[in-house]
Amino acid sequence: MNKSADNDEPEVHVRILLIEDDKVLGMAVRDQIAADGHSLDWVERLDEARAALNGAGFDLVLLDLMLPDGLGVPFLKALRQRGDVTPVIILTALDQLSDRLEGLNAGADDYMVKPFDLEELSARIGSVARRYSGNPNPLVTHGDIEVDLAARRITKGQREVSLTAREWAMFEAFLNRPGQLLSKAQLEDKLYEFGSEVESNTIEAHVSRLRKKLGQNVIKTERGMGYRLGPA
């Protein structure tokens, strides 16, 4: 079940939240995801999952449907109703067509029935990650701003705008979740990936620079709560 070494297709690194109370399966999935080069946070309850999603930015969620403190489908519906578009792959023993349809209709991006092959899970994760990282449509338009996600190139009007790596990481976080409120902690989490300390005023400073480069209304401040992408 180890990752195939002859797969030359480039993978997208993603941060994954696994919501699974089966310890044996959880450890197997954790090890597989680490071997694939992704990072993983693992929780066993829905209340822990809510806290994790509120405190950090994830690129993908792996969701079991039968948790000790509730069912996964209502959790997923609530996630979508609040505007969270984080991709979700359901992992469950429920194998009826009605279960699959309920999960997909609730907002899941994929549905895998246990027991499943870990190689297939890797392929499904890679497919969803590439889909949401800009493939096959890497061009995003927001007002007069055009973003090429694949080339990491931004133009405003006819002028190309240069962003630092940290500014890009922050702006991409907003583009990936249009309309969604991102807390200061979630944005800080994006910047921790660069391996240096994030100071108390770092987020405010980067938001200010993005506004200077892309327009004052590109990021909207929700006082005491966080920031969201401004209207196009």
Side-chain angles (χ1 to χ4, degrees):
M1 290 186 180
N2 292 329
K3 183 177 175 62
S4 173
D6 59 0
N7 183 2
D8 295 326
E9 186 177 358
E11 291 294 332
V12 179
H13 176 272
V14 292
R15 182 175 182 182
I16 297 170
L17 176 63
L18 171 64
I19 310 170
E20 172 61 65
D21 65 324
D22 184 319
K23 289 182 171 56
V24 174
L25 177 59
M27 287 188 289
V29 170
R30 178 195 61 194
D31 293 346
Q32 179 76 9
I33 287 173
D36 290 338
H38 304 310
S39 56
L40 179 104
D41 290 27
W42 176 17
V43 298
E44 299 181 17
R45 298 173 56 90
L46 293 175
D47 54 1
E48 295 172 342
R50 293 185 187 96
L53 288 167
N54 288 333
F58 292 94
D59 303 301
L60 177 68
V61 174
L62 301 177
L63 174 64
D64 185 17
L65 293 185
M66 307 290 288
L67 282 306
D69 58 339
L71 302 176
V73 167
F75 171 84
L76 176 55
K77 286 181 178 179
L79 205 66
R80 295 299 186 236
Q81 287 169 358
R82 77 181 195 190
D84 193 321
V85 296
T86 305
V88 174
I89 298 177
I90 288 175
L91 310 178
T92 181
L94 300 176
D95 60 355
Q96 297 299 308
L97 177 60
S98 58
D99 298 318
R100 185 184 299 270
L101 292 176
E102 183 181 29
L104 295 172
N105 288 334
D109 296 84
D110 206 342
Y111 191 106
M112 296 188 69
V113 175
K114 303 173 184 177
F116 49 80
D117 187 272
L118 292 175
E119 287 290 341
E120 182 181 0
L121 175 62
S122 292
R124 300 281 189 100
I125 290 172
S127 175
V128 172
R130 287 189 297 273
R131 189 188 316 158
Y132 280 83
S133 68
N135 285 322
N137 299 307
L139 296 180
V140 175
T141 301
H142 185 75
D144 65 344
I145 301 170
E146 185 173 278
V147 184
D148 186 330
L149 293 170
R152 294 199 167 192
R153 182 181 299 114
I154 297 178
T155 56
K156 180 177 172 60
Q158 300 299 315
R159 176 177 58 89
E160 187 164 336
V161 179
S162 178
L163 299 184
T164 67
R166 283 188 165 198
E167 290 166 355
W168 172 265
M170 183 177 292
F171 189 51
E172 186 180 37
F174 287 111
L175 288 175
N176 287 338
R177 294 168 173 82
Q180 182 180 334
L181 182 72
L182 296 179
S183 68
K184 184 177 178 181
Q186 286 176 305
L187 294 172
E188 286 176 343
D189 188 69
K190 287 292 181 183
L191 302 187
Y192 278 124
E193 297 174 5
F194 293 92
S196 57
E197 190 67 24
V198 177
E199 299 177 357
S200 60
N201 65 341
T202 297
I203 299 303
E204 290 83 354
H206 280 80
V207 167
S208 177
R209 294 191 190 105
L210 285 172
R211 285 170 174 162
K212 287 179 181 178
K213 293 181 177 182
L214 300 175
Q216 288 298 313
N217 296 322
V218 69
I219 298 173
K220 182 179 179 182
T221 301
E222 300 285 351
R223 293 197 177 277
M225 298 174 63
Y227 303 88
R228 71 175 79 241
L229 193 66

